[in-house]
Amino acid sequence: MRSYRQYCPIARALDLVGERWTLLVVRELLLQGPCRFTDLRNGLPGIASNLLSGRLKELEEAGLISREEAPPPIATTLYALSPTGRALEPVLRALGMWGLQLLADEREEDAFQPHWLAYASSCFTTDGDPGAPPVVIQLLASGRAALIEIGPGGVQARVGRALAPDLTLEGRPRSALDLLTGAIDLAAATRAGLIATGNLDVLTRLRPIASIGRPPVEN
Amino acid sequence: MRSYRQYCPIARALDLVGERWTLLVVRELLLQGPCRFTDLRNGLPGIASNLLSGRLKELEEAGLISREEAPPPIATTLYALSPTGRALEPVLRALGMWGLQLLADEREEDAFQPHWLAYASSCFTTDGDPGAPPVVIQLLASGRAALIEIGPGGVQARVGRALAPDLTLEGRPRSALDLLTGAIDLAAATRAGLIATGNLDVLTRLRPIASIGRPPVEN
DNA sequence: CCGGATCCCCAGGGATACTG
DNA sequence: CAGTATCCCTGGGGATCCGG
């Protein structure tokens, strides 16, 4: 394993998770929970299968993930984050917060999956009315689904489909993001091609934290 | 520039700072402030000069650093973080907090510089007596010097030498780290080869935050 | 001495094909 | 479905060289 050979916590951390794709693998495991090889591959468009295989092996050796042979009816191996791996969440949150500004330019060639947006949303918003009953927002795109759950645990993101979401958002990721950050209102988002169905009031539950929503920094 | 091509804030962030050495360059600029090419190279033992040059160019294009021609008597170009670059600090803090556990094993071949430890310390401690007058701890190793400043701004780290530090620590990095995290007391640190001179009481000003100092996680 | 640029070589990453 | 095998290529490591 390649190392920076520096007695520095940051360098040591990067020794383990600084290689290409590694933190994105952690992102997927964090959002999807225990999942199969194929689930990871689907959540990481562009990764080569040998590379994913190699990363999983390295991460297991480093103690960041565990590999478990699930009994039937699953009958396959599941990958899951260990506590040490889950402890990387603040790193992903910080990276995600910093990277938000970079989403201002929407590139047509970029892949998109709704759980990425759900996670971003859970990072930059808090529950605006913690006492109120829990609500669920469904995000749909590219034939996949993710959820933003607002409840006692705060704002949480996960992959999956809800039976009866309070609100469903579907459409161009940029307009959904702008709506969730509070950069635009629902009318503008709809005009930008977003389809929102359900109880639109649940959007008021999502309170974007300060210091986001500014235009992309040019300097 | 190589990109993950994913419309996800984490992936976009890694597009810019995910390559080898990049975040360590940011670490140095954050700790050293505006500095010369050689200062950066010294703070990044192991980096090839062409690679450092390349990274600086990329970071400038991305708007994370600025290059400035300083007038005499400096008469050289200084590199400095832009506001966007400085905004990466939470990322480095999170990585540093996570990487702390990895410092449990001390490898003889690893390079060490005192400002790395100073920064780590500023991440995992708070001022235990905010009302008290400011104090300065000097760290010495490998012929270099760094400072931990405890004052109105909290606990801050920077490269440099103090005229009259309240406390000076010199010796094996592991024992200094263990002392600062509270894992061992001063007597044990001294026994482990640490040399402490000055007012030893200032150590009580550094209050390690919870959830650190545990032994290295094996699972 | 500082601030790089150039060159060569190899390991790690990307794409695709193939197999249990 | 869950990877492995293969081939190619790019980016990184290391040394050296060069202008100011």
Side-chain angles (χ1 to χ4, degrees), chain B residues 2 36-38 49-50 53 57 76-77 79:
Chain B
R2 187 156 51 165
R36 301 171 301 171
F37 187 90
T38 302
S49 62
N50 57 349
S53 168
K57 212 164 297 178
T76 185
T77 86
Y79 297 91

Side-chain angles (χ1 to χ4, degrees), chain A residues 2 36-38 49-50 53 76-77 79:
Chain A
R2 188 159 49 166
R36 301 169 301 171
F37 187 90
T38 303
S49 60
N50 59 348
S53 168
T76 186
T77 88
Y79 297 91

Side-chain angles (χ1 to χ4, degrees), chain B residues 112-129:
Chain B
F112 173 68
Q113 303 215 11
H115 63 287
W116 302 339
L117 179 55
Y119 183 64
S121 178
S122 76
C123 287
F124 66 72
T125 59
T126 58
D127 188 348
D129 186 3

